[in-house]
Amino acid sequence: PDGALLSGSRPYNSADVPGSAASSSAADGLNGQGALDTTDGFIFPDSSERLLTLNDLRGKNEWECRIARNEIYARHGRLFRSAELQQYFNSCDWYHGSIAANAFNDETMLSKIERDNIKTIEQYEDTL
């Protein structure tokens, strides 16, 4: 996340949490390309409960993938190094950030489903 390395994953650029490219006005859910099609700020409201497939991700752009990946962390109250991501999730009613990025442990704080979904999203992002 936030330019860091996740265990067993590729390095992230400075614009994300478990990462991708940067954009502009995160507070209103926009990325300079238009509004996100979300439910309460979620790209995948059930990504903590079911495995995502590459088919689920088809048609998603880099910003949507970035949010989808990071909403998994945000559900657990992770704070973000990226001001853009922090601003985006602060605008979501459900988000209550309380865990510093450097104190967040993927292996103990995320379920296997969540860790697998992050990997699936990263795999899709590699095709963009």
Side-chain angles (χ1 to χ4, degrees):
D2 285 324
L5 282 176
L6 289 180
S7 176
S9 67
R10 62 183 164 82
Y12 297 104
N13 73 32
S14 61
D16 13 343
V17 154
S20 42
S23 67
S24 56
S25 66
D28 57 6
L30 299 178
N31 68 350
Q33 299 174 7
L36 291 175
D37 179 20
T38 65
T39 304
D40 297 326
F42 288 110
I43 302 293
F44 295 108
D46 58 353
S47 64
S48 289
E49 302 164 4
R50 73 167 179 97
L51 288 173
L52 298 175
T53 67
L54 291 175
N55 209 34
D56 291 323
L57 295 161
R58 285 206 204 311
K60 300 289 186 238
N61 63 34
E62 287 182 38
W63 174 251
E64 290 168 317
C65 288
R66 184 179 179 203
I67 295 299
R69 196 172 0 88
N70 288 294
E71 71 191 16
I72 294 169
Y73 292 92
R75 278 190 195 98
H76 293 277
R78 186 189 184 280
L79 296 166
F80 298 93
R81 291 182 188 111
S82 162
E84 183 178 50
L85 286 173
Q86 191 62 56
Q87 186 178 9
Y88 176 82
F89 288 111
N90 282 344
S91 73
C92 297
D93 291 340
W94 54 266
Y95 176 70
H96 303 286
S98 61
I99 303 170
N102 63 352
F104 197 92
N105 183 316
D106 293 12
E107 292 302 314
T108 61
M109 297 177 157
L110 298 177
S111 71
K112 178 158 177 24
I113 288 174
E114 291 168 320
R115 291 189 309 270
D116 287 348
N117 282 341
I118 288 167
K119 288 176 188 171
T120 299
I121 295 167
E122 290 173 334
Q123 183 181 3
Y124 179 77
E125 286 176 303
D126 287 342
T127 70
L128 296 176

